[in-house]
Amino acid sequence: MQRPGSVQQKIPTAFSTAVRDEPATKRHNQSYRVLATGELSLKALEAGIHHAIVTEKVDGSCCYVTKYKDSPYLWARLDRKPTKQAEKRFRRFQSSKTSTEFTWNLDDDFRTVTESWIPAHGVPQVNGRLLPDENGHIPGWVPVERGSKPYCWHLSTVNYDAGLALVLRPCLEKNLLEITVVPLMELLEQTLELVGTHINGNPYGLGNKKQPVHFLISHGSLQIEKPLMLHLTDLITWFEGSPEGKVEGIVWHCKNGVLFKLHRHHLGLQWPVQDPYLTARPLFVNVDLTRYECDPETKSSFLVFARLNGKHFDHFQDILWETDAAS
């Protein structure tokens, strides 16, 4: 059973959007921008967005914890994409702006994936064949196996021998964050965000090339306490003028399990920003590896934080990675 906050597929925008013929701020090679209008989408209203839990949208790489070979494993996002020829046909169809529907050849139009690949929850099917989303992708997951070079930074946040994950989460104390170890079994069927030095250009300034640092954040765990008005002018004011607004975006978790998002780029605002809220908050490090029978690899982020175990920082960004990790 999925837990609240699970992100299995692309999250729709809370507001209706309009396309402008001007360079995008999010993707440098994109010649258009997608901006939010002042009108909430009908789906968001029907889902009760006014009564939803509001959380920070974290800028990282989406992950999933579920069983693999009878053990809890970390899985990386891997969408099944069209072949080059199918992609060309699809792009030609999109640029033609025809009202007819594009037809996929579900047997031949998509690249092969490893046998361990699984589709994301909720991917529609026709006659046992998976259907792509509006972008032509079939969302899915692949297990992060031991020794995997493409997913080495994912691996630095888990220890399969001890069944542990390195997680950032809020403490009971107001505004305090904690880096700690969590049994993978407790994270089963949750989706999380991998953040760190080598993820998405490192917008949070975590670690460095000499001392890379990565960890996981459960989706929906970083709640925004201050109520937000669902008006674009109020949201822009919050993003631009509030310390708590220095985030990539917002995710609304509705009671029926449906999620909606709003990215800074939907408002014409820049990301990343200086001093993001995530690393401006106080941090407590609670990574005591002596409690577990494990021998982390040299690239493991467990080792970095184990050397800082028991330390409290007034601001996450105060950590001097090379000095503090070596002390």
Side-chain angles (χ1 to χ4, degrees), residues 7-52:
V7 178
Q8 290 286 334
Q9 300 188 47
K10 185 178 179 181
I11 304 175
T13 306
F15 291 83
S16 59
T17 56
V19 178
R20 287 190 184 178
D21 292 326
E22 52 189 72
T25 55
K26 184 177 182 181
R27 296 181 177 89
H28 298 298
N29 59 347
Q30 186 172 296
S31 60
Y32 62 90
R33 299 173 71 181
V34 179
L35 297 174
T37 69
E39 184 178 354
L40 284 166
S41 72
L42 180 59
K43 288 183 179 180
L45 291 171
E46 290 176 344
I49 191 170
H50 287 283
H51 306 288

mmCIF file of all heavy atoms in Angstrom, residues 7-52:
data_model
loop_
_atom_site.group_PDB
_atom_site.id
_atom_site.type_symbol
_atom_site.label_atom_id
_atom_site.label_comp_id
_atom_site.label_asym_id
_atom_site.label_seq_id
_atom_site.Cartn_x
_atom_site.Cartn_y
_atom_site.Cartn_z
ATOM 1 N N VAL A 7 5.191 9.787 -4.902
ATOM 2 C CA VAL A 7 5.250 10.418 -6.228
ATOM 3 C C VAL A 7 5.613 9.340 -7.232
ATOM 4 O O VAL A 7 6.774 8.972 -7.379
ATOM 5 C CB VAL A 7 6.295 11.562 -6.258
ATOM 6 C CG1 VAL A 7 6.385 12.168 -7.650
ATOM 7 C CG2 VAL A 7 5.949 12.621 -5.224
ATOM 8 N N GLN A 8 4.624 8.824 -7.916
ATOM 9 C CA GLN A 8 4.857 7.760 -8.879
ATOM 10 C C GLN A 8 4.906 8.287 -10.315
ATOM 11 O O GLN A 8 5.575 7.719 -11.170
ATOM 12 C CB GLN A 8 3.763 6.690 -8.751
ATOM 13 C CG GLN A 8 3.850 5.870 -7.477
ATOM 14 C CD GLN A 8 4.988 4.863 -7.511
ATOM 15 O OE1 GLN A 8 5.428 4.420 -8.571
ATOM 16 N NE2 GLN A 8 5.481 4.482 -6.328
ATOM 17 N N GLN A 9 4.189 9.353 -10.589
ATOM 18 C CA GLN A 9 4.153 9.907 -11.931
ATOM 19 C C GLN A 9 4.313 11.424 -11.868
ATOM 20 O O GLN A 9 4.407 12.006 -10.790
ATOM 21 C CB GLN A 9 2.838 9.540 -12.623
ATOM 22 C CG GLN A 9 2.630 8.022 -12.746
ATOM 23 C CD GLN A 9 1.448 7.669 -13.593
ATOM 24 O OE1 GLN A 9 1.256 8.196 -14.680
ATOM 25 N NE2 GLN A 9 0.619 6.755 -13.093
ATOM 26 N N LYS A 10 4.369 12.051 -13.030
ATOM 27 C CA LYS A 10 4.546 13.493 -13.097
ATOM 28 C C LYS A 10 3.400 14.196 -12.381
ATOM 29 O O LYS A 10 2.232 13.870 -12.586
ATOM 30 C CB LYS A 10 4.613 13.948 -14.554
ATOM 31 C CG LYS A 10 4.908 15.426 -14.714
ATOM 32 C CD LYS A 10 5.018 15.802 -16.183
ATOM 33 C CE LYS A 10 5.304 17.302 -16.323
ATOM 34 N NZ LYS A 10 5.398 17.706 -17.751
ATOM 35 N N ILE A 11 3.733 15.156 -11.526
ATOM 36 C CA ILE A 11 2.720 15.882 -10.760
ATOM 37 C C ILE A 11 2.164 17.027 -11.601
ATOM 38 O O ILE A 11 2.934 17.841 -12.131
ATOM 39 C CB ILE A 11 3.314 16.438 -9.455
ATOM 40 C CG1 ILE A 11 3.928 15.317 -8.621
ATOM 41 C CG2 ILE A 11 2.254 17.166 -8.637
ATOM 42 C CD1 ILE A 11 4.642 15.803 -7.373
ATOM 43 N N PRO A 12 0.843 17.138 -11.743
ATOM 44 C CA PRO A 12 0.268 18.242 -12.512
ATOM 45 C C PRO A 12 0.395 19.569 -11.768
ATOM 46 O O PRO A 12 0.506 19.609 -10.543
ATOM 47 C CB PRO A 12 -1.198 17.836 -12.672
ATOM 48 C CG PRO A 12 -1.472 16.935 -11.502
ATOM 49 C CD PRO A 12 -0.187 16.214 -11.231
ATOM 50 N N THR A 13 0.366 20.653 -12.529
ATOM 51 C CA THR A 13 0.447 21.990 -11.948
ATOM 52 C C THR A 13 -0.901 22.377 -11.348
ATOM 53 O O THR A 13 -1.953 22.076 -11.910
ATOM 54 C CB THR A 13 0.852 23.006 -13.034
ATOM 55 O OG1 THR A 13 2.055 22.550 -13.645
ATOM 56 C CG2 THR A 13 1.081 24.376 -12.442
ATOM 57 N N ALA A 14 -0.863 23.046 -10.204
ATOM 58 C CA ALA A 14 -2.099 23.414 -9.507
ATOM 59 C C ALA A 14 -2.931 24.423 -10.297
ATOM 60 O O ALA A 14 -4.160 24.407 -10.237
ATOM 61 C CB ALA A 14 -1.764 23.980 -8.129
ATOM 62 N N PHE A 15 -2.253 25.284 -11.037
ATOM 63 C CA PHE A 15 -2.939 26.313 -11.812
ATOM 64 C C PHE A 15 -2.934 25.930 -13.290
ATOM 65 O O PHE A 15 -2.058 25.198 -13.757
ATOM 66 C CB PHE A 15 -2.239 27.665 -11.637
ATOM 67 C CG PHE A 15 -2.375 28.245 -10.263
ATOM 68 C CD1 PHE A 15 -1.522 27.842 -9.237
ATOM 69 C CD2 PHE A 15 -3.346 29.198 -9.972
ATOM 70 C CE1 PHE A 15 -1.631 28.372 -7.964
ATOM 71 C CE2 PHE A 15 -3.464 29.735 -8.705
ATOM 72 C CZ PHE A 15 -2.611 29.325 -7.691
ATOM 73 N N SER A 16 -3.931 26.442 -14.020
ATOM 74 C CA SER A 16 -3.880 26.289 -15.465
ATOM 75 C C SER A 16 -2.668 27.058 -15.978
ATOM 76 O O SER A 16 -2.194 27.999 -15.325
ATOM 77 C CB SER A 16 -5.162 26.813 -16.114
ATOM 78 O OG SER A 16 -5.360 28.184 -15.800
ATOM 79 N N THR A 17 -2.127 26.659 -17.111
ATOM 80 C CA THR A 17 -0.898 27.256 -17.616
ATOM 81 C C THR A 17 -1.094 27.799 -19.029
ATOM 82 O O THR A 17 -2.006 27.396 -19.749
ATOM 83 C CB THR A 17 0.260 26.237 -17.623
ATOM 84 O OG1 THR A 17 -0.118 25.096 -18.388
ATOM 85 C CG2 THR A 17 0.596 25.808 -16.208
ATOM 86 N N ALA A 18 -0.202 28.705 -19.389
ATOM 87 C CA ALA A 18 -0.190 29.277 -20.734
ATOM 88 C C ALA A 18 1.238 29.243 -21.253
ATOM 89 O O ALA A 18 2.192 29.405 -20.485
ATOM 90 C CB ALA A 18 -0.721 30.709 -20.710
ATOM 91 N N VAL A 19 1.400 29.023 -22.551
ATOM 92 C CA VAL A 19 2.721 28.945 -23.180
ATOM 93 C C VAL A 19 3.060 30.289 -23.816
ATOM 94 O O VAL A 19 2.254 30.860 -24.552
ATOM 95 C CB VAL A 19 2.759 27.836 -24.244
ATOM 96 C CG1 VAL A 19 4.119 27.792 -24.919
ATOM 97 C CG2 VAL A 19 2.440 26.485 -23.614
ATOM 98 N N ARG A 20 4.250 30.788 -23.514
ATOM 99 C CA ARG A 20 4.738 32.029 -24.109
ATOM 100 C C ARG A 20 5.953 31.738 -24.987
ATOM 101 O O ARG A 20 6.818 30.951 -24.615
ATOM 102 C CB ARG A 20 5.127 33.034 -23.015
ATOM 103 C CG ARG A 20 3.944 33.643 -22.292
ATOM 104 C CD ARG A 20 4.416 34.787 -21.418
ATOM 105 N NE ARG A 20 3.333 35.341 -20.621
ATOM 106 C CZ ARG A 20 3.498 36.338 -19.740
ATOM 107 N NH1 ARG A 20 4.704 36.851 -19.541
ATOM 108 N NH2 ARG A 20 2.472 36.790 -19.047
ATOM 109 N N ASP A 21 6.021 32.395 -26.143
ATOM 110 C CA ASP A 21 7.138 32.212 -27.069
ATOM 111 C C ASP A 21 8.331 33.064 -26.644
ATOM 112 O O ASP A 21 8.645 34.087 -27.248
ATOM 113 C CB ASP A 21 6.713 32.563 -28.500
ATOM 114 C CG ASP A 21 5.708 31.573 -29.051
ATOM 115 O OD1 ASP A 21 5.805 30.384 -28.697
ATOM 116 O OD2 ASP A 21 4.827 31.980 -29.820
ATOM 117 N N GLU A 22 8.972 32.632 -25.583
ATOM 118 C CA GLU A 22 10.184 33.290 -25.099
ATOM 119 C C GLU A 22 11.034 32.244 -24.390
ATOM 120 O O GLU A 22 10.508 31.241 -23.908
ATOM 121 C CB GLU A 22 9.847 34.444 -24.153
ATOM 122 C CG GLU A 22 8.910 34.072 -23.017
ATOM 123 C CD GLU A 22 8.428 35.281 -22.219
ATOM 124 O OE1 GLU A 22 7.605 36.047 -22.737
ATOM 125 O OE2 GLU A 22 8.896 35.433 -21.079
ATOM 126 N N PRO A 23 12.355 32.436 -24.339
ATOM 127 C CA PRO A 23 13.239 31.409 -23.771
ATOM 128 C C PRO A 23 12.861 31.039 -22.336
ATOM 129 O O PRO A 23 12.519 31.897 -21.520
ATOM 130 C CB PRO A 23 14.618 32.068 -23.816
ATOM 131 C CG PRO A 23 14.513 33.091 -24.902
ATOM 132 C CD PRO A 23 13.094 33.594 -24.840
ATOM 133 N N ALA A 24 12.929 29.747 -22.055
ATOM 134 C CA ALA A 24 12.610 29.251 -20.718
ATOM 135 C C ALA A 24 13.737 29.556 -19.750
ATOM 136 O O ALA A 24 14.903 29.664 -20.137
ATOM 137 C CB ALA A 24 12.356 27.750 -20.769
ATOM 138 N N THR A 25 13.386 29.704 -18.474
ATOM 139 C CA THR A 25 14.396 29.903 -17.440
ATOM 140 C C THR A 25 14.833 28.576 -16.834
ATOM 141 O O THR A 25 15.913 28.479 -16.257
ATOM 142 C CB THR A 25 13.848 30.804 -16.314
ATOM 143 O OG1 THR A 25 12.633 30.228 -15.807
ATOM 144 C CG2 THR A 25 13.556 32.203 -16.839
ATOM 145 N N LYS A 26 14.019 27.542 -16.968
ATOM 146 C CA LYS A 26 14.342 26.240 -16.372
ATOM 147 C C LYS A 26 15.228 25.412 -17.295
ATOM 148 O O LYS A 26 16.195 24.805 -16.848
ATOM 149 C CB LYS A 26 13.052 25.473 -16.056
ATOM 150 C CG LYS A 26 13.294 24.144 -15.345
ATOM 151 C CD LYS A 26 11.985 23.469 -14.996
ATOM 152 C CE LYS A 26 12.233 22.164 -14.245
ATOM 153 N NZ LYS A 26 10.974 21.466 -13.908
ATOM 154 N N ARG A 27 14.901 25.381 -18.594
ATOM 155 C CA ARG A 27 15.681 24.616 -19.567
ATOM 156 C C ARG A 27 16.251 25.582 -20.597
ATOM 157 O O ARG A 27 15.504 26.216 -21.341
ATOM 158 C CB ARG A 27 14.810 23.552 -20.240
ATOM 159 C CG ARG A 27 14.295 22.500 -19.268
ATOM 160 C CD ARG A 27 13.454 21.458 -19.989
ATOM 161 N NE ARG A 27 13.019 20.409 -19.079
ATOM 162 C CZ ARG A 27 11.900 20.453 -18.369
ATOM 163 N NH1 ARG A 27 11.108 21.504 -18.452
ATOM 164 N NH2 ARG A 27 11.563 19.457 -17.564
ATOM 165 N N HIS A 28 17.562 25.676 -20.656
ATOM 166 C CA HIS A 28 18.226 26.670 -21.486
ATOM 167 C C HIS A 28 18.008 26.454 -22.977
ATOM 168 O O HIS A 28 18.083 27.383 -23.765
ATOM 169 C CB HIS A 28 19.724 26.707 -21.176
ATOM 170 C CG HIS A 28 20.023 27.092 -19.753
ATOM 171 N ND1 HIS A 28 19.661 28.319 -19.221
ATOM 172 C CD2 HIS A 28 20.632 26.404 -18.759
ATOM 173 C CE1 HIS A 28 20.047 28.381 -17.961
ATOM 174 N NE2 HIS A 28 20.625 27.227 -17.649
ATOM 175 N N ASN A 29 17.753 25.198 -23.390
ATOM 176 C CA ASN A 29 17.556 24.916 -24.807
ATOM 177 C C ASN A 29 16.078 24.933 -25.206
ATOM 178 O O ASN A 29 15.719 24.521 -26.304
ATOM 179 C CB ASN A 29 18.159 23.553 -25.163
ATOM 180 C CG ASN A 29 17.530 22.413 -24.360
ATOM 181 O OD1 ASN A 29 16.828 22.654 -23.375
ATOM 182 N ND2 ASN A 29 17.775 21.188 -24.778
ATOM 183 N N GLN A 30 15.221 25.412 -24.318
ATOM 184 C CA GLN A 30 13.780 25.459 -24.586
ATOM 185 C C GLN A 30 13.393 26.869 -24.997
ATOM 186 O O GLN A 30 13.692 27.835 -24.291
ATOM 187 C CB GLN A 30 13.008 25.012 -23.345
ATOM 188 C CG GLN A 30 11.504 24.881 -23.547
ATOM 189 C CD GLN A 30 10.826 24.253 -22.340
ATOM 190 O OE1 GLN A 30 11.078 23.094 -22.006
ATOM 191 N NE2 GLN A 30 9.998 25.011 -21.659
ATOM 192 N N SER A 31 12.723 27.000 -26.139
ATOM 193 C CA SER A 31 12.417 28.310 -26.709
ATOM 194 C C SER A 31 11.093 28.891 -26.231
ATOM 195 O O SER A 31 10.667 29.942 -26.707
ATOM 196 C CB SER A 31 12.392 28.219 -28.242
ATOM 197 O OG SER A 31 11.391 27.295 -28.661
ATOM 198 N N TYR A 32 10.432 28.219 -25.313
ATOM 199 C CA TYR A 32 9.152 28.715 -24.804
ATOM 200 C C TYR A 32 9.091 28.558 -23.290
ATOM 201 O O TYR A 32 9.848 27.798 -22.700
ATOM 202 C CB TYR A 32 7.991 27.964 -25.457
ATOM 203 C CG TYR A 32 7.990 26.468 -25.169
ATOM 204 C CD1 TYR A 32 7.317 25.948 -24.061
ATOM 205 C CD2 TYR A 32 8.672 25.576 -26.001
ATOM 206 C CE1 TYR A 32 7.328 24.589 -23.789
ATOM 207 C CE2 TYR A 32 8.697 24.213 -25.733
ATOM 208 C CZ TYR A 32 8.014 23.737 -24.634
ATOM 209 O OH TYR A 32 8.031 22.382 -24.360
ATOM 210 N N ARG A 33 8.174 29.287 -22.688
ATOM 211 C CA ARG A 33 7.980 29.218 -21.238
ATOM 212 C C ARG A 33 6.557 28.797 -20.931
ATOM 213 O O ARG A 33 5.618 29.195 -21.630
ATOM 214 C CB ARG A 33 8.254 30.580 -20.585
ATOM 215 C CG ARG A 33 9.653 31.099 -20.784
ATOM 216 C CD ARG A 33 9.807 32.503 -20.261
ATOM 217 N NE ARG A 33 9.783 32.551 -18.802
ATOM 218 C CZ ARG A 33 9.877 33.674 -18.094
ATOM 219 N NH1 ARG A 33 9.967 34.839 -18.714
ATOM 220 N NH2 ARG A 33 9.874 33.636 -16.784
ATOM 221 N N VAL A 34 6.413 28.000 -19.884
ATOM 222 C CA VAL A 34 5.088 27.594 -19.410
ATOM 223 C C VAL A 34 4.834 28.324 -18.101
ATOM 224 O O VAL A 34 5.513 28.082 -17.098
ATOM 225 C CB VAL A 34 5.014 26.066 -19.206
ATOM 226 C CG1 VAL A 34 3.632 25.680 -18.693
ATOM 227 C CG2 VAL A 34 5.334 25.331 -20.504
ATOM 228 N N LEU A 35 3.865 29.236 -18.112
ATOM 229 C CA LEU A 35 3.591 30.074 -16.947
ATOM 230 C C LEU A 35 2.194 29.812 -16.405
ATOM 231 O O LEU A 35 1.264 29.505 -17.165
ATOM 232 C CB LEU A 35 3.731 31.556 -17.319
ATOM 233 C CG LEU A 35 5.130 32.004 -17.762
ATOM 234 C CD1 LEU A 35 5.080 33.446 -18.241
ATOM 235 C CD2 LEU A 35 6.130 31.853 -16.627
ATOM 236 N N ALA A 36 2.062 29.924 -15.101
ATOM 237 C CA ALA A 36 0.759 29.731 -14.462
ATOM 238 C C ALA A 36 -0.122 30.945 -14.688
ATOM 239 O O ALA A 36 0.341 32.088 -14.661
ATOM 240 C CB ALA A 36 0.950 29.496 -12.966
ATOM 241 N N THR A 37 -1.380 30.686 -14.924
ATOM 242 C CA THR A 37 -2.375 31.761 -14.968
ATOM 243 C C THR A 37 -2.922 31.932 -13.551
ATOM 244 O O THR A 37 -2.516 31.238 -12.627
ATOM 245 C CB THR A 37 -3.519 31.411 -15.928
ATOM 246 O OG1 THR A 37 -4.286 30.328 -15.363
ATOM 247 C CG2 THR A 37 -2.982 30.981 -17.293
ATOM 248 N N GLY A 38 -3.842 32.829 -13.364
ATOM 249 C CA GLY A 38 -4.395 33.037 -12.024
ATOM 250 C C GLY A 38 -5.525 32.094 -11.685
ATOM 251 O O GLY A 38 -6.143 32.212 -10.614
ATOM 252 N N GLU A 39 -5.773 31.118 -12.551
ATOM 253 C CA GLU A 39 -6.931 30.243 -12.372
ATOM 254 C C GLU A 39 -6.497 28.851 -11.930
ATOM 255 O O GLU A 39 -5.690 28.191 -12.594
ATOM 256 C CB GLU A 39 -7.705 30.149 -13.695
ATOM 257 C CG GLU A 39 -8.979 29.341 -13.618
ATOM 258 C CD GLU A 39 -9.719 29.314 -14.940
ATOM 259 O OE1 GLU A 39 -9.293 30.013 -15.877
ATOM 260 O OE2 GLU A 39 -10.726 28.583 -15.026
ATOM 261 N N LEU A 40 -7.022 28.405 -10.794
ATOM 262 C CA LEU A 40 -6.742 27.044 -10.337
ATOM 263 C C LEU A 40 -7.344 26.044 -11.315
ATOM 264 O O LEU A 40 -8.413 26.272 -11.879
ATOM 265 C CB LEU A 40 -7.315 26.821 -8.943
ATOM 266 C CG LEU A 40 -6.550 27.439 -7.776
ATOM 267 C CD1 LEU A 40 -7.403 27.442 -6.520
ATOM 268 C CD2 LEU A 40 -5.246 26.686 -7.530
ATOM 269 N N SER A 41 -6.642 24.919 -11.525
ATOM 270 C CA SER A 41 -7.161 23.903 -12.432
ATOM 271 C C SER A 41 -8.418 23.263 -11.846
ATOM 272 O O SER A 41 -8.593 23.198 -10.617
ATOM 273 C CB SER A 41 -6.112 22.829 -12.694
ATOM 274 O OG SER A 41 -5.936 22.010 -11.552
ATOM 275 N N LEU A 42 -9.275 22.788 -12.731
ATOM 276 C CA LEU A 42 -10.516 22.150 -12.288
ATOM 277 C C LEU A 42 -10.215 20.909 -11.456
ATOM 278 O O LEU A 42 -10.870 20.645 -10.438
ATOM 279 C CB LEU A 42 -11.365 21.779 -13.506
ATOM 280 C CG LEU A 42 -12.713 21.105 -13.213
ATOM 281 C CD1 LEU A 42 -13.591 22.012 -12.350
ATOM 282 C CD2 LEU A 42 -13.424 20.743 -14.524
ATOM 283 N N LYS A 43 -9.176 20.150 -11.851
ATOM 284 C CA LYS A 43 -8.819 18.938 -11.106
ATOM 285 C C LYS A 43 -8.361 19.278 -9.686
ATOM 286 O O LYS A 43 -8.669 18.556 -8.743
ATOM 287 C CB LYS A 43 -7.719 18.178 -11.855
ATOM 288 C CG LYS A 43 -8.188 17.498 -13.123
ATOM 289 C CD LYS A 43 -7.066 16.697 -13.762
ATOM 290 C CE LYS A 43 -7.542 15.983 -15.019
ATOM 291 N NZ LYS A 43 -6.453 15.195 -15.662
ATOM 292 N N ALA A 44 -7.632 20.396 -9.550
ATOM 293 C CA ALA A 44 -7.167 20.805 -8.218
ATOM 294 C C ALA A 44 -8.339 21.196 -7.332
ATOM 295 O O ALA A 44 -8.379 20.866 -6.139
ATOM 296 C CB ALA A 44 -6.187 21.964 -8.342
ATOM 297 N N LEU A 45 -9.292 21.896 -7.903
ATOM 298 C CA LEU A 45 -10.481 22.295 -7.139
ATOM 299 C C LEU A 45 -11.301 21.069 -6.739
ATOM 300 O O LEU A 45 -11.777 20.969 -5.605
ATOM 301 C CB LEU A 45 -11.331 23.266 -7.962
ATOM 302 C CG LEU A 45 -10.723 24.653 -8.186
ATOM 303 C CD1 LEU A 45 -11.546 25.444 -9.205
ATOM 304 C CD2 LEU A 45 -10.654 25.425 -6.866
ATOM 305 N N GLU A 46 -11.450 20.135 -7.672
ATOM 306 C CA GLU A 46 -12.235 18.931 -7.384
ATOM 307 C C GLU A 46 -11.561 18.074 -6.312
ATOM 308 O O GLU A 46 -12.234 17.380 -5.545
ATOM 309 C CB GLU A 46 -12.427 18.117 -8.664
ATOM 310 C CG GLU A 46 -13.369 18.773 -9.674
ATOM 311 C CD GLU A 46 -13.445 17.987 -10.968
ATOM 312 O OE1 GLU A 46 -12.556 17.128 -11.197
ATOM 313 O OE2 GLU A 46 -14.387 18.218 -11.747
ATOM 314 N N ALA A 47 -10.233 18.125 -6.237
ATOM 315 C CA ALA A 47 -9.493 17.330 -5.248
ATOM 316 C C ALA A 47 -9.449 18.003 -3.879
ATOM 317 O O ALA A 47 -8.955 17.418 -2.921
ATOM 318 C CB ALA A 47 -8.075 17.077 -5.749
ATOM 319 N N GLY A 48 -9.973 19.244 -3.780
ATOM 320 C CA GLY A 48 -9.980 19.941 -2.496
ATOM 321 C C GLY A 48 -8.653 20.553 -2.124
ATOM 322 O O GLY A 48 -8.200 20.441 -0.985
ATOM 323 N N ILE A 49 -8.018 21.224 -3.074
ATOM 324 C CA ILE A 49 -6.688 21.778 -2.841
ATOM 325 C C ILE A 49 -6.674 22.805 -1.715
ATOM 326 O O ILE A 49 -5.659 22.994 -1.039
ATOM 327 C CB ILE A 49 -6.119 22.389 -4.144
ATOM 328 C CG1 ILE A 49 -4.629 22.716 -3.966
ATOM 329 C CG2 ILE A 49 -6.921 23.602 -4.596
ATOM 330 C CD1 ILE A 49 -3.919 23.088 -5.240
ATOM 331 N N HIS A 50 -7.808 23.468 -1.467
ATOM 332 C CA HIS A 50 -7.871 24.476 -0.394
ATOM 333 C C HIS A 50 -7.691 23.843 0.989
ATOM 334 O O HIS A 50 -7.406 24.548 1.957
ATOM 335 C CB HIS A 50 -9.200 25.231 -0.456
ATOM 336 C CG HIS A 50 -9.278 26.194 -1.600
ATOM 337 N ND1 HIS A 50 -8.643 27.412 -1.593
ATOM 338 C CD2 HIS A 50 -9.917 26.110 -2.791
ATOM 339 C CE1 HIS A 50 -8.895 28.055 -2.718
ATOM 340 N NE2 HIS A 50 -9.659 27.294 -3.468
ATOM 341 N N HIS A 51 -7.867 22.529 1.086
ATOM 342 C CA HIS A 51 -7.734 21.836 2.373
ATOM 343 C C HIS A 51 -6.551 20.873 2.369
ATOM 344 O O HIS A 51 -6.453 20.002 3.243
ATOM 345 C CB HIS A 51 -9.024 21.074 2.687
ATOM 346 C CG HIS A 51 -10.254 21.926 2.635
ATOM 347 N ND1 HIS A 51 -10.545 22.878 3.594
ATOM 348 C CD2 HIS A 51 -11.248 21.992 1.703
ATOM 349 C CE1 HIS A 51 -11.676 23.492 3.268
ATOM 350 N NE2 HIS A 51 -12.123 22.978 2.132
ATOM 351 N N ALA A 52 -5.646 21.042 1.426
ATOM 352 C CA ALA A 52 -4.526 20.119 1.279
ATOM 353 C C ALA A 52 -3.384 20.465 2.234
ATOM 354 O O ALA A 52 -3.275 21.597 2.720
ATOM 355 C CB ALA A 52 -4.020 20.143 -0.155
#
